[in-house]
Amino acid sequence: MLAGLCAVIYLGAREGAKRFFFENADYQVRTIELQTDGTLQREQILKVADLHEGENIFSVNLGRVRDSVQRLPQVDEAEVVRKLPGEIDIRVVERKPVAWITGDKQISDPFVSDAAFLVDARGVLMKEKKLLPEYLGLPLISGCSSESLEAGKVVESLEAKTALELLRLSTRSFMQTRFQIREIDVSKGYCLVVTDKNHSRVTFGFDNLDTQLQRLEQFLIYSDDAHRELATVNLLVQRNIPVTFGKSPAEVINETINPEEAPRIMKAIPVQTSPKPSATTAKSRPALSPTATPAAKRVLPRQPFKKK
């Protein structure tokens, strides 16, 4: 009797919950509120979550929806909340890309290239359907040929991880304003060749990035005090670091406005002397015109007349 009573209570509770909750029209999903801080579209998230309006709110598995949204490469964190009687809220925190990455050594514009991927600080690769204008100013990590680039994967090569670590360390107060990285070439395999906004080329090693940035900061301070621009710096060398300086912007502007005149090259004209006339030429020479100057004649002495 006790077992039968428990079975009746269980079946009655189940039937009551089914009628009052799962089959009640008041608990249908009428509103799906989506909040995201990136470029993901509403249709894209709902398609992945397999969530539709009109289904019962209690039949929605919140854990399954969250895991499905979390699998998107652009999503860093996802939260799904059920609000009775008919609202489900989804809050998405998207990954913030910090750079472009490509396996090519040279690429003209990663914004329009299919071989370039966006990568966040954790090394997760992304392929955005909608590109924002601020992505144009992101630095480029090029020459990462040892990495299999695919959306959703995490970079594993030492070169790519070191490049991301260098980007993170270079966001300090002074370095962020003075040394803004535009491209990191990792194709050499033993160093990073970094180009900044002023076209300075700095070679970094894979170890002790903090120490190398401190040495670079000293060179930047010196160049600012001396009003000179750094051209190349090789930080692989610990002592007697090779450094070259370029022309200052003022010198480049002055050369553009007032270019140096090319020296005039004076070409000498050879003197042509008239050849002496030969006997044959003298005979064939035409007679002088009346206006020509007569030739000088020799006066012979007069001889006395003799009678026979």
Side-chain angles (χ1 to χ4, degrees):
M1 291 178 60
L2 181 60
L5 181 61
C6 291
V8 171
I9 294 175
Y10 171 75
L11 294 176
R14 183 177 179 179
E15 185 66 21
K18 182 179 179 181
R19 291 187 178 184
F20 288 103
F21 295 102
F22 293 96
E23 295 181 356
N24 192 344
D26 295 335
Y27 294 109
Q28 290 182 354
V29 178
R30 295 181 175 85
T31 305
I32 301 176
E33 190 70 23
L34 177 62
Q35 297 179 1
T36 180
D37 59 350
T39 60
L40 282 175
Q41 303 296 320
R42 177 183 176 88
E43 293 78 9
Q44 185 178 1
I45 296 178
L46 295 182
K47 181 179 180 181
V48 172
D50 193 16
L51 188 60
H52 308 280
E53 296 178 353
E55 59 182 319
N56 187 268
I57 194 172
F58 293 104
S59 63
V60 177
N61 190 336
L62 301 183
R64 181 191 59 80
V65 173
R66 186 187 63 82
D67 294 339
S68 300
V69 177
Q70 192 81 39
R71 293 191 188 99
L72 289 173
Q74 300 92 332
V75 177
D76 189 12
E77 296 180 2
E79 182 181 0
V80 183
V81 179
R82 181 189 290 116
K83 291 184 178 181
L84 299 177
E87 181 178 346
I88 292 180
D89 293 347
I90 303 176
R91 187 179 64 87
V92 175
V93 178
E94 297 188 25
R95 302 183 187 275
K96 297 297 184 293
V98 297
W100 294 91
I101 187 170
T102 179
D104 299 339
K105 293 184 179 181
Q106 292 182 353
I107 186 171
S108 58
D109 188 3
F111 199 80
V112 298
S113 176
D114 294 335
F117 292 81
L118 290 168
V119 59
D120 70 342
R122 299 180 182 178
V124 180
L125 300 175
M126 297 172 286
K127 199 70 173 179
E128 299 282 358
K129 292 185 178 181
K130 181 181 179 182
L131 298 177
L132 299 179
E134 53 263 26
Y135 296 164
L136 289 171
L138 294 178
L140 173 65
I141 302 175
S142 61
C144 193
S145 58
S146 61
E147 194 78 44
S148 178
L149 302 180
E150 185 179 348
K153 288 188 175 181
V154 181
V155 293
E156 298 179 354
S157 62
L158 177 62
E159 298 87 349
K161 291 182 178 179
T162 307
L164 293 175
E165 180 66 13
L166 179 62
L167 290 175
R168 185 186 67 83
L169 294 175
S170 63
T171 56
R172 294 181 297 182
S173 59
F174 176 78
M175 299 299 292
Q176 187 175 11
T177 57
R178 184 59 180 83
F179 187 72
Q180 297 182 5
I181 298 176
R182 303 304 309 151
E183 183 177 354
I184 302 177
D185 185 5
V186 301
S187 59
K188 295 184 179 297
Y190 63 90
C191 66
L192 305 177
V193 181
V194 182
T195 305
D196 73 336
K197 64 175 183 179
N198 296 325
H199 305 286
S200 301
R201 296 174 63 87
V202 183
T203 303
F204 287 87
F206 290 159
D207 300 327
N208 301 324
L209 290 178
D210 288 330
T211 306
Q212 297 181 67
L213 285 174
Q214 291 176 3
R215 293 203 296 263
L216 176 61
E217 185 174 346
Q218 296 176 1
F219 284 112
L220 293 174
I221 294 175
Y222 170 78
S223 63
D224 291 342
D225 295 339
H227 302 287
R228 305 178 68 180
E229 290 292 337
L230 286 176
T232 60
V233 181
N234 190 350
L235 297 175
L236 287 174
V237 184
Q238 297 183 359
R239 295 184 178 180
N240 300 326
I241 299 176
V243 180
T244 60
F245 293 93
K247 295 181 180 180
S248 62
E251 294 176 354
V252 176
I253 293 175
N254 292 335
E255 291 180 0
T256 306
I257 297 176
N258 299 319
E260 297 181 358
E261 295 183 359
R264 297 180 59 187
I265 301 176
M266 305 300 293
K267 185 177 180 181
I269 301 177
V271 179
Q272 297 180 359
T273 57
S274 57
K276 294 182 179 181
S278 59
T280 306
T281 307
K283 292 180 180 180
S284 61
R285 181 179 298 173
L288 296 175
S289 60
T291 58
T293 304
K297 295 182 179 181
R298 184 179 179 184
V299 180
L300 298 176
R302 185 177 181 181
Q303 296 180 358
F305 177 74
K306 294 181 179 181
K307 293 182 180 182
K308 293 182 181 181

